[in-house]
Amino acid sequence: MRALRRQTLAKVFRSGMTAIEASQALAMELGYSFTGTTIHSDLKALGLTPVSGTERVRAMTKARRLEVQKGVLAGESVQSLAERLKAPVHTIKSDCRLLVEAGDLPADMLARSRVQRSLSAMRADVARLGPEARTAYEALWEAVADDAYGRPVSAP
């Protein structure tokens, strides 16, 4: 039984698999499952090394945070980042918070972007307002117009 299990495990195991994935592939192939300890000892006996699921998750998190950082610096909203990266909004917000804490994103950048999007949404209504309201709108826009790097952002 051990020989058949190991032979089949050697056949179904692919580079980059975790031990759990190898166990699942073996169970699908043979029709019954084995304990994690058995799979680990068989993989070791065969000289195969499974990847760590934890390390894979860390690498994926690091890659996602890099994409979040690039997107936020490019002015992309949290919602659009979540859609593009196929991640929950709360995860993207958490990534932003952690990037700000780490100093990888300017602290006021997210707030500036949010205010600029709100002001852009008001743009059509401003034309119907009086001169004082338009002046106040333009003053507010100018207050948040420079991005975190001092580059001017054009008024809507």
Side-chain angles (χ1 to χ4, degrees):
M1 180 61 166
R2 180 187 304 166
L4 173 65
R5 185 181 66 233
R6 287 185 177 175
Q7 178 184 4
T8 307
L9 184 59
K11 185 175 91 175
V12 299
F13 185 81
R14 300 283 176 259
S15 177
M17 274 187 161
T18 64
I20 292 171
E21 291 167 340
S23 174
Q24 291 168 345
L26 182 64
M28 288 190 315
E29 189 73 23
L30 294 178
Y32 42 91
S33 61
F34 299 93
T35 66
T37 305
T38 302
I39 299 302
H40 275 284
S41 67
D42 286 349
L43 287 171
K44 187 175 181 180
L46 292 167
L48 300 172
T49 307
V51 297
S52 166
T54 303
E55 289 303 317
R56 185 187 293 169
V57 169
R58 277 192 193 125
M60 289 171 35
T61 300
K62 186 176 181 180
R64 186 189 66 237
R65 287 196 180 138
L66 183 61
E67 283 300 311
V68 167
Q69 181 182 14
K70 287 178 187 175
V72 168
L73 290 173
E76 199 171 347
S77 71
V78 170
Q79 182 66 40
S80 65
L81 278 167
E83 290 171 8
R84 182 169 60 85
L85 298 175
K86 295 176 179 52
V89 172
H90 69 87
T91 301
I92 303 300
K93 286 182 177 179
S94 175
D95 288 346
C96 289
R97 189 185 75 251
L98 291 170
L99 288 167
V100 167
E101 288 173 6
D104 295 330
L105 277 179
D108 69 336
M109 183 167 223
L110 297 173
R112 282 178 185 270
S113 297
R114 202 168 27 253
V115 170
Q116 287 172 350
R117 282 192 299 278
S118 295
L119 289 173
S120 293
M122 294 180 208
R123 183 176 175 188
D125 297 327
V126 171
R128 292 183 283 238
L129 297 174
E132 287 180 17
R134 267 185 268 161
T135 304
Y137 171 82
E138 290 168 4
L140 183 56
W141 180 263
E142 290 301 319
V144 295
D146 289 341
D147 68 11
Y149 298 106
R151 299 179 299 223
V153 177
S154 61

